[in-house]
Amino acid sequence: MGTGPRGLRWFLIEVAASWGHNALLDEPFDRGLGRDLVRRIEGAGMRPLAIRRTGRRSVPATQRWAIVDSRPGRESVVWGEVADAAALLEVPLDGSTGIPSSRPLYCVCTHARHDQCCAVRGRRVVTALAEARPEETWECSHLGGDRFAGTMVVFPHGLYYGYADDGDPVRIADAFEAGRIVPERYRGRSSLSHPVQAAQHYARETFGDDRIESFAPIAEEADGTGWRVRLQGPGGAGGAVVVELDEARSEPLLSTCAATRFVRVRQYALRSIGLRDPEGKRVVASDPAD
């Protein structure tokens, strides 16, 4: 929990060919075009992501793209296509063109050249999803968090999941379409900071509310060794959940299958959690030490 990389808006590009270490610097993109495209997308505050259909390697006649907005309250997907890859440099990045779609996208990392774990474990996830939801399922390039393979992101909300092959990825899709998450596989939401993602995890664990829109963030602040996060109260009943977190570094670990150097990553431990009424009075409190 609390490990979902940042991503408010995304530019998805269908790249049906095999991917190198960087999916947008190989065919059908030459390096110059790929660099210009990534620079343009990231310069607009968006995340680029290569996608492709599982099992299909034929290059389509046109270049398909999608713009995804994952900001809370603005979640949307817009699809479009241009004549070739070079024409992607002319696509407006504000979402003003293209065809809106109400279908979710289940994007599973299968980026083998980036990390073999994603190819092996992600393949099991995308195969199961593609069988159940062929039109909504896509393979995608590197998402971040290879140590959690098989990893996937659910659009338009930007919900990250890890170890999806250890569970039932179709259950994740079912839950999303019912407005809920699967807590034991959930890493966090791309539009939220890591402390807020962790705070939501502990709030869901404490109050048993697994709805996607529950515990929306109100405020967050660093407090020395950690964070103090205020979330909207459970069930829309008013008030706020106050979550205090300790931030620390993990024991040394290998972050990918191919890694040879041990690193330490951020982790968030629960210091305390309490429910305050609309007037700010604490009505429920929980201390992990109790």
Side-chain angles (χ1 to χ4, degrees):
M1 51 85 184
T3 62
R6 189 74 161 173
L8 298 178
R9 299 177 67 241
W10 305 67
F11 194 83
L12 280 52
I13 303 170
E14 185 174 9
V15 183
S18 297
W19 301 333
H21 187 267
N22 188 317
L24 297 180
L25 295 181
D26 298 290
E27 294 292 341
F29 305 96
D30 61 46
R31 285 191 173 271
L33 173 59
R35 282 195 297 268
D36 289 345
L37 188 56
V38 170
R39 189 179 298 118
R40 180 173 186 257
I41 294 168
E42 292 181 344
M46 304 173 75
R47 278 193 63 178
L49 194 68
I51 59 173
R52 65 188 177 196
R53 291 298 194 186
T54 187
R56 304 179 196 175
R57 291 295 180 268
S58 59
V59 179
T62 58
Q63 178 65 65
R64 199 175 186 196
W65 57 267
I67 290 176
V68 177
D69 194 331
S70 294
R71 291 173 292 182
R74 303 183 184 183
E75 296 89 349
S76 62
V77 178
V78 176
W79 284 98
E81 59 182 41
V82 289
D84 53 36
L88 290 169
L89 292 171
E90 305 301 322
V91 174
L93 299 181
D94 59 1
S96 61
T97 188
I99 301 174
S101 173
S102 60
R103 282 182 168 175
L105 303 179
Y106 303 107
C107 294
V108 182
C109 181
T110 58
H111 199 162
R113 295 285 183 87
H114 198 281
D115 193 86
Q116 292 180 350
C117 280
C118 292
V120 174
R121 304 193 66 172
R123 185 69 55 194
R124 295 196 288 264
V125 178
V126 78
T127 298
L129 279 171
E131 182 176 341
R133 289 171 172 80
E135 294 304 314
E136 292 83 9
T137 301
W138 296 84
E139 297 183 16
C140 72
S141 56
H142 178 60
L143 288 172
D146 294 343
R147 67 187 184 276
F148 304 115
T151 61
M152 62 182 288
V153 60
V154 181
F155 290 130
H157 291 62
L159 309 181
Y160 288 106
Y161 284 90
Y163 306 131
D165 56 321
D166 285 340
D168 180 0
V170 177
R171 179 179 163 222
I172 292 174
D174 289 341
F176 175 74
E177 291 164 23
R180 301 182 179 278
I181 65 163
V182 177
E184 62 268 26
R185 307 291 176 206
Y186 186 58
R187 296 176 56 198
R189 189 169 180 168
S190 69
S191 59
L192 304 179
S193 70
H194 295 296
V196 170
Q197 292 174 20
Q200 285 187 337
H201 165 81
Y202 289 118
R204 288 190 172 102
E205 189 175 61
T206 299
F207 297 103
D209 188 340
D210 63 358
R211 289 174 296 174
I212 294 171
E213 301 304 337
S214 293
F215 306 110
I218 298 172
E220 60 182 294
E221 60 180 344
D223 66 354
T225 61
W227 296 84
R228 189 173 189 267
V229 180
R230 293 178 65 234
L231 309 171
Q232 290 183 5
V241 176
V242 179
V243 185
E244 295 183 342
L245 305 167
D246 288 319
E247 179 179 328
R249 294 288 171 173
S250 70
E251 294 298 317
L253 55 81
L254 295 172
S255 61
T256 70
C257 283
T260 58
R261 182 173 61 90
F262 286 86
V263 297
R264 297 177 184 270
V265 298
R266 285 177 299 183
Q267 293 182 332
Y268 299 94
L270 179 63
R271 186 190 309 156
S272 68
I273 183 169
L275 178 62
R276 295 182 180 273
D277 65 21
E279 297 181 355
K281 298 179 180 179
R282 175 166 287 197
V283 294
V284 177
S286 175
D287 186 331
D290 291 344

